Amino acid sequence: MEVAVALARALREQQTLLQSTDIGVAFIQKRAIQRCNQQFAEIFGFPDSASLLGQASYLLHPSRDAFRALGRDAFAEMAQGRTFRSVRQMRRKDGSLFWASLTGRLINSEAPSEGAIWTLDDVDAQILMRSQLDAIQLQTQILLDHAMVGVAYVREHKVVQCNRHAEQMLSKCWGTPQGSCAARRHETGLPATATGLCNWPITPPRWRRAKCLPLS
C-alpha cells in the first residue's frame, strides 16, 4: 500500500512539473510518445497531451529522412551520456513546418531502450526575424558598396561602418579594427553632434561637406 501511495504521489509530482514549464516536454520510448505536457501538444497543434500519447514520433518531423537524420545525430551525442541540442524544422498537425529548438537526453545511456526526455521550444518567429535582419544587412551593404558618395555610419564620432569611398576619404583612420578609430570631425566636416548615417560628395573639395541623418 505504501509503495502504491508513493508511486501515485511521484506521478502527480511529475505531472505538475510537466505542466508548469513554458516549453514542450515529452518522454519518448521506442520511437513513440509515452507522455508529454500540454505545451508540447499545443506547439504541434494538438488540443491536449492525450491526443499525442502513443503516436509515432516520426510524425512530428518533416519527413522520415529528417527523422532518421535527427536520430543519427542525437544518438551519437546522447549515447555518451551528454545532452543533445539542435535547431530543426518540425511539422505541426496541419502539416505546416516550423523551426524548433530541441534538447534530448537518454534516461539511461547504458540502456537506450528506456527512452529519452525531449524538450522543445518554438523559435520560428526568432528564426524568421534573424533571416529578415540578415537580408536587410545584405541589402544595406550592397547599397553602401554601390553608392556614388562616401557613406559612413558614425556613432560618438567613431566610424562603425562605411563604404569604400568613405574609407578612402578617412584613410588616415583605417588600419585599426572596425569601429575603433575616431572620425576626424574637423577634416571630414562632421557636425559636432554627428551620430547616424553621414555622406560626403566624392568630388573634392566638396567632399568635406558632410550630411548626416540621425538614426532613431
Side-chain angles (χ1 to χ4, degrees), residues 67-139:
F67 171 68
R68 294 189 188 101
L70 174 64
R72 288 192 300 269
D73 295 343
F75 185 76
E77 189 77 11
M78 295 192 298
Q80 304 299 317
R82 296 191 290 263
T83 299
F84 172 77
R85 293 180 173 85
S86 181
V87 175
R88 307 264 175 145
Q89 276 196 311
M90 305 295 287
R91 184 174 64 181
R92 302 190 201 275
K93 181 183 178 183
D94 63 6
S96 62
L97 302 182
F98 70 101
W99 288 98
S101 175
L102 305 170
T103 66
R105 189 178 182 89
L106 290 172
I107 292 176
N108 183 357
S109 60
E110 299 296 326
S113 62
E114 292 184 14
I117 297 295
W118 286 86
T119 65
L120 179 144
D121 194 14
D122 185 344
V123 295
D124 205 49
Q126 295 94 311
I127 295 292
L128 177 60
M129 286 189 290
R130 179 75 255 179
S131 177
Q132 292 174 337
L133 177 59
D134 290 344
I136 291 172
Q137 289 177 332
L138 177 59
Q139 293 167 4

Side-chain angles (χ1 to χ4, degrees), residues 150-151 162-175:
V151 181
C162 73
N163 65 356
R164 183 169 298 180
H165 291 312
E167 184 176 349
Q168 292 171 348
M169 296 170 191
L170 302 173
S171 59
K172 292 181 181 180
C173 288
W174 296 93

Side-chain angles (χ1 to χ4, degrees), residues 2 10 23 54 116 158 169 171 189 198 205:
E2 291 182 0
I23 61 175
K158 290 187 177 182
M169 296 170 191
S171 59
C198 300

